[in-house]
Amino acid sequence: QVQLVESGGGSVQAGGSLTLSCVASGWSMKTQCMGWFRQAPGKEREGVGAIDSDGQIVYADSVKGRFTLSKDNTKVTLDLDKLRPEDSGMYYCAAGCWAPALTPRAFTVWGQGTQVTVS
């Protein structure tokens, strides 16, 4: 069974940076369409960015110019820069999309999440 495991979350001050990673057991990341989502308490899960097997990437408008998504054979990475308090939340890695998308229903496999707190 495919499993996704996120890491790299933490607490930072506004303006700081973090790097989140997601690794998968069971298959190669290179051929997968992957995405990152986040969810703050009391809010819906929202897409942050997604990347397909050809390297096409989409970002949410709120993170463009600040977050960078990349993928290789073993992991998908989300570099978070110029962090703001509103970026706080649980960040989830997801897989299974047919094309880069920012809607949760486009993905079939989810990790457990890693917490990001910006103060």
Side-chain angles (χ1 to χ4, degrees):
Q1 184 176 355
V2 174
Q3 291 185 324
L4 301 176
V5 179
E6 303 95 334
S7 63
S11 297
V12 297
Q13 293 187 337
S17 301
L18 284 172
T19 295
L20 307 184
S21 295
C22 173
V23 296
S25 61
W27 35 251
S28 169
M29 289 280 192
K30 189 175 183 179
T31 60
Q32 296 298 321
C33 180
M34 308 289 299
W36 281 95
F37 289 77
R38 65 186 181 190
Q39 188 168 19
K43 294 188 177 181
E44 293 186 354
R45 190 169 297 190
E46 64 173 350
V48 175
I51 181 170
D52 69 6
S53 59
D54 294 326
Q56 295 186 26
I57 301 174
V58 296
Y59 292 104
D61 288 342
S62 59
V63 306
K64 283 180 181 177
R66 301 188 300 120
F67 292 8
T68 304
L69 188 60
S70 60
K71 181 165 68 72
D72 62 24
N73 285 349
T74 61
K75 65 182 183 297
V76 58
T77 300
L78 184 67
D79 290 309
L80 291 69
D81 195 19
K82 302 175 183 177
L83 282 162
R84 305 167 181 168
E86 54 264 38
D87 294 320
S88 297
M90 187 70 76
Y91 280 68
Y92 297 92
C93 175
C97 51
W98 288 97
L102 299 177
T103 55
R105 63 177 180 271
F107 295 81
T108 57
V109 182
W110 292 84
Q112 294 299 307
T114 185
Q115 180 69 39
V116 171
T117 303
V118 185
S119 59

